[in-house]
Amino acid sequence: MSIDVGIGHEADAVQAVREILAAEGVPAALAAGDPSLWGAPSQAEARIRLGWLNLPLTSRELLPEIVNLVERAQAQGLDHVVLAGMGGSSLAPEVICATADVPLTVLDTTDPHQVRRALNDRLERTLLVVSSKSGGTIETDSHRRIYEKAFRDAGIDPADRIIVVTDPGSPLEQTAIESGYQVILADPNVGGRYSALSAFGLVPSALAGADVRRLLDDAAGVRALLSQSEGNPGLDLGALLGAQYQAGRDKLILLDTLSEINGLPDWIEQLIAESTGKQGKGILPVAGAEAAEGHDQYTLNIGRDGERTIDGPLGAQFLVWEYATAVAGRVLGIDPFDQPNVAESKENTTAILSEAGDGPLPTGTPILTDGPVEVYGDLPGHPKDLADVLRWALKAVPDRGYLAIMAYLDREAAFDAATVGDASFEEMTEQWASADIATLRALLDYRTDRPVTFGWGPRFLHSTGQFHKGGPAVGAFLQITGAITDDIEVPDKPYTLGRLQLAQALGDLRALTSRGRPAVRLHLTDRVAGVRHLLSVAEEL
């Protein structure tokens, strides 16, 4: 494992922070699980959140049970593994499987079109892993209910197809026991975003075909270094994050262009944003952007290429980034293990659904309609069209700020050709390339020197959503929702997936606007046409 922290003044600043941390005994204390490192107010939470330090060793106890699960699935011909989980329960397995090049269908969405695609894909060969630490995650609970009904309708016993990963004593454990599902219990002393090497990361990944034993081996190889003051990659990286923050650079641009690891920035984004974005402070990770250097931003490369780099196998990367985030939390003076603002959007969602009853959700009235795009919000200057709205969003970003694009849409639509009938490959490619909403980030990023982030809703609510509300008040927010053409009922619940998705968007928007954050919602009355129009307007700004 190697860390290059930069050169010149920058390296000197990192060294100064590292020396202070070493003099305070932080490496040995953290490796020993000392909960007092983040101050008295954080001690109670930290005391029950440091189990991740020992996962390279303790998770080995799960391996025989995981091997049995894999062998049973193979014997039954269950080769379509679907993971229902949010935040830390889904992001780590997604990276593990992408890096191992094994297929895993991840459901961390309430978009009914995306869920419908998974339901229609080899249900007779599907194995569903339901992962939730608390057991009460509304998205994951909805997925479980939908799949239970789908299995029963197909004449399949859900008990033969559902595996539950949860904490001991959670409501989900009780539900699983009553339903006859196999339950794998995770370490309750590990927070969700630190759970990559726990049952939450290992079980779905192993079922999909990844070598999780090697993952633990690689993590164990670096673990022995984490109590040292010298040659400690976690301390080096934590000092880098802390020193950059102290120098005013609180935007971390993550690149992995030449890495053998696929998708790690998305996992890092959740870990750092949710861990540090609170009390008006925080480090904002930016995934998917071009390299950038400036007064408040810097680039770090996952791999060997570049000036500032971190290189090593995936298991080691997981543990080192977790350690470094905990160290950075001490430098910033915050508790890296709580997430005080995440619940607010959830509570708003529940309130909106309850208040609306059987009636329409409180979407409001559009201030303008530009083709297949409706605009909602309280914008100054009476914008006349979509171009004006996008210009407003770019200008609304303050100095040292950022623009966040939040898309409550189907994140796989741009890669799906199933809905285009008998179109040729070239026609399919052209249609879906033009319908990739994530392209909007690059188009707007080109027109500002401020960082532009992109998050899929409600996925980002369990990630950067904490930073948006608890971090520095320097964000501007562009929310995108879309019309539902193929909704899905959630069994025994008074809402559909589409209704839940819209309520989540409105709930988060309410949380942002209640803080005075500049925000606007674009609603696509036709998703494909709306995305095309939006991208076309953005290209012409």
Side-chain angles (χ1 to χ4, degrees), residues 47-68:
R47 184 173 288 112
I48 58 171
R49 287 293 177 261
L50 290 168
W52 52 273
L53 287 159
N54 298 315
L55 288 176
L57 305 180
T58 58
S59 284
R60 293 180 187 280
E61 299 169 5
L62 296 170
L63 293 179
E65 192 170 10
I66 290 175
V67 169
N68 288 337

Side-chain angles (χ1 to χ4, degrees), residues 390 434 440 443 530-541:
L390 295 181
S434 64
L440 182 63
L443 292 174
V531 170
R532 285 177 172 169
H533 183 57
L534 182 54
L535 297 183
S536 175
V537 171
E539 286 175 344
E540 298 300 322
L541 287 179

Side-chain angles (χ1 to χ4, degrees), residues 432-478:
W432 287 111
S434 64
D436 186 353
I437 187 62
T439 305
L440 182 63
R441 195 211 65 77
L443 292 174
L444 295 184
D445 186 58
Y446 180 73
R447 286 158 178 79
T448 178
D449 62 355
R450 299 286 77 225
V452 179
T453 68
F454 186 94
W456 294 103
R459 167 182 169 125
F460 78 87
L461 293 179
H462 301 257
S463 175
T464 51
Q466 166 64 42
F467 187 98
H468 291 166
K469 293 174 279 291
V474 293
F477 300 91
L478 184 63

Side-chain angles (χ1 to χ4, degrees), residues 413-427:
F415 307 104
D416 177 54
T419 60
V420 295
D422 296 325
S424 68
F425 176 80
E426 290 77 13
E427 290 169 332

Side-chain angles (χ1 to χ4, degrees), residues 100-262:
D101 195 22
V102 295
L104 176 69
T105 296
V106 175
L107 291 183
D108 54 1
T109 181
T110 44
D111 189 88
H113 303 117
Q114 189 173 335
V115 174
R116 178 74 70 189
R117 182 184 302 106
L119 280 172
N120 291 341
D121 184 9
R122 299 165 287 165
L123 185 66
E124 73 285 355
R125 288 154 47 196
T126 291
L127 182 65
L128 178 71
V129 181
V130 179
S131 288
S132 172
K133 180 178 174 64
S134 68
T137 308
I138 191 170
E139 300 93 341
T140 306
D141 179 70
S142 298
H143 299 149
R144 175 183 61 80
R145 293 171 181 272
I146 290 166
Y147 265 88
E148 285 174 341
K149 181 178 186 301
F151 284 137
R152 291 193 186 102
D153 290 349
I156 299 170
D157 184 353
D160 294 333
R161 299 300 188 85
I162 296 179
I163 296 172
V164 168
V165 181
T166 191
D167 276 4
S170 76
L172 181 56
E173 182 193 11
Q174 186 59 39
T175 297
I177 291 172
E178 293 170 356
S179 302
Y181 303 151
Q182 180 148 359
V183 181
I184 309 295
L185 295 178
D187 186 337
N189 294 316
V190 177
R193 59 188 177 273
Y194 291 82
S195 67
L197 299 171
S198 76
F200 289 107
L202 302 184
V203 171
S205 302
L207 287 167
D211 183 353
V212 297
R213 187 183 299 274
R214 178 180 176 183
L215 201 71
L216 294 177
D217 289 344
D218 290 337
V222 77
R223 180 178 177 272
L225 304 176
L226 300 183
S227 62
Q228 303 174 181
S229 295
E230 296 294 332
N232 180 339
L235 182 64
D236 291 344
L237 181 57
L240 169 64
L241 298 175
Q244 293 284 0
Y245 181 84
Q246 290 178 339
R249 291 185 286 273
D250 58 358
K251 316 294 191 308
L252 168 59
I253 314 300
L254 293 161
L255 301 180
D256 66 349
T257 50
L258 295 179
S259 171
E260 296 176 357
I261 299 173
N262 292 320

Side-chain angles (χ1 to χ4, degrees), residues 453-540:
T453 68
F454 186 94
W456 294 103
R459 167 182 169 125
F460 78 87
L461 293 179
H462 301 257
S463 175
T464 51
Q466 166 64 42
F467 187 98
H468 291 166
K469 293 174 279 291
V474 293
F477 300 91
L478 184 63
Q479 187 186 84
I480 306 170
T481 58
I484 303 296
T485 58
D486 185 16
D487 212 344
I488 299 177
E489 297 286 337
V490 180
D492 301 318
K493 290 294 182 180
Y495 47 77
T496 63
L497 277 186
R499 186 174 178 85
L500 174 58
Q501 182 186 42
L502 181 56
Q504 289 177 311
L506 297 176
D508 192 48
L509 200 61
R510 180 180 291 183
L512 293 169
T513 56
S514 70
R515 288 173 166 77
R517 308 283 205 260
V520 63
R521 179 168 73 94
L522 308 181
H523 183 71
L524 314 180
T525 55
D526 178 299
R527 290 193 178 199
V528 173
V531 170
R532 285 177 172 169
H533 183 57
L534 182 54
L535 297 183
S536 175
V537 171
E539 286 175 344
E540 298 300 322

